[in-house]
Amino acid sequence: MRALITGITGQDGSYLAEFLLEKGYQVIGMVRRSSTEPYDRIQHIRDKVTLVQADLLDQLSIINLIEEHKPDEVYNLAAQSFVPASWGQPVLTGEFDALGVTRVLEAIRLVNKDIKFYQASSSEMFGKVQEVPQKETTKFYPRSPYGVAKVYGHWITINYRESFGIHASSGILFNHESPRRGLEFVTRKITDGAVRIKLGLADKLALGNLDSRRDWGFAGDYVKAMWLMLQQEKPDNFVIATGVTHSVEEFVRHAFEHVDLDFKDYVTKDPRFVRPAEVDLLQGDPSYAKQKLGWETEVTFESLVKMMVAADLERLKA
């Protein structure tokens, strides 16, 4: 089997590449041309994957990529995925996260409609939640340009599935973290900040809304669900989540406790980090994925925070 991963250099892409290599896949990774090579997350498997330059903004490059490498499965993980940045770059976010999905689907339609397609949808599509917990049938109410663009990507995936018979599945993934999460994301900002304070490299950690609640899981668990979706006889939409929520403050407390500190002595609230339109609560109902895919989470919330703190401690000590 041959799989194409867009966004292979990101958190999810790197874990998915590892997972597929273990399954015996040939893995092709789509990367954008840049003056630097941001391949840190896949450096340990660089010699086992084929990296090819193409761009979600360039239709022809995607068509050429699929024609040349003939993947059996395409996992579309590439995106502008940092929610706060979507307010600063709303048009670019739409180009990548909405129209970019269409370009990949259109390439599949033109080249080979038998290719199976996975779209990385997001819990941010639920935004101002209309019911708790959120499941596959919950109405969307996105609260950011990122969330809006992801709704488009989600629906265009369904449209190509129903219009052209493409095996196109959408995974509505709730927050999933790891030591490979970017430093701009709040979870990694917290673990990195706690360790810096512990090592005397910083004095304070400024955060936004500590009351926001999220359904946090481990990215390594969630990529397995992506693969399972494409092994089903029929494509569908699946909520991938733990079903349990925790506040940002809980995440902070656990992170600081792992380095024997009381977060109340170091964490300050900064209004600059509060979103223009806040998403207060996200909690997924993964029962359909468990029943249909046989998927389960393995890493607990507490273990996830500890894993991230330990990785940042090792990195910063070095």
Side-chain angles (χ1 to χ4, degrees), residues 185-200:
F185 289 83
V186 68
T187 50
R188 189 71 195 292
K189 183 178 178 181
I190 291 166
T191 59
D192 176 79
V195 170
R196 285 182 181 277
I197 291 169
K198 179 65 176 180
L199 297 178

Side-chain angles (χ1 to χ4, degrees), residues 29-62:
M30 189 182 99
V31 294
R32 301 183 70 201
R33 180 174 177 80
S34 64
S35 57
T36 59
E37 294 188 351
Y39 300 153
D40 295 352
R41 296 182 181 95
I42 58 168
Q43 200 60 51
H44 60 297
I45 56 170
R46 181 80 185 273
D47 60 337
K48 298 176 183 176
V49 302
T50 302
L51 299 182
V52 183
Q53 288 185 358
D55 200 308
L56 287 184
L57 302 185
D58 182 4
Q59 179 73 76
L60 187 58
S61 70
I62 302 169

Side-chain angles (χ1 to χ4, degrees), residues 52 73 104 114 130 134 137 147 202 210 232 237 247 262:
V52 183
E73 300 171 353
V104 179
D114 291 331
Q130 303 300 291
Q134 294 89 57
T137 55
L210 297 181
Q232 304 305 303
N237 309 319
S247 67
D262 185 344

Side-chain angles (χ1 to χ4, degrees), residues 12 29 64 67 77 91 99 104 111 134 137-138 146-147 168 173 181 184 191 194 204 206 209 212 227 254 274 276 318:
D12 293 7
N64 290 339
E67 280 184 334
L77 310 186
V91 176
L99 294 180
V104 179
V111 178
Q134 294 89 57
T137 55
T138 302
Y146 170 81
L173 271 60
R181 178 57 101 182
E184 70 273 21
T191 59
K204 297 290 181 183
N209 184 5
S212 290
W227 176 78
H254 279 285
V274 177

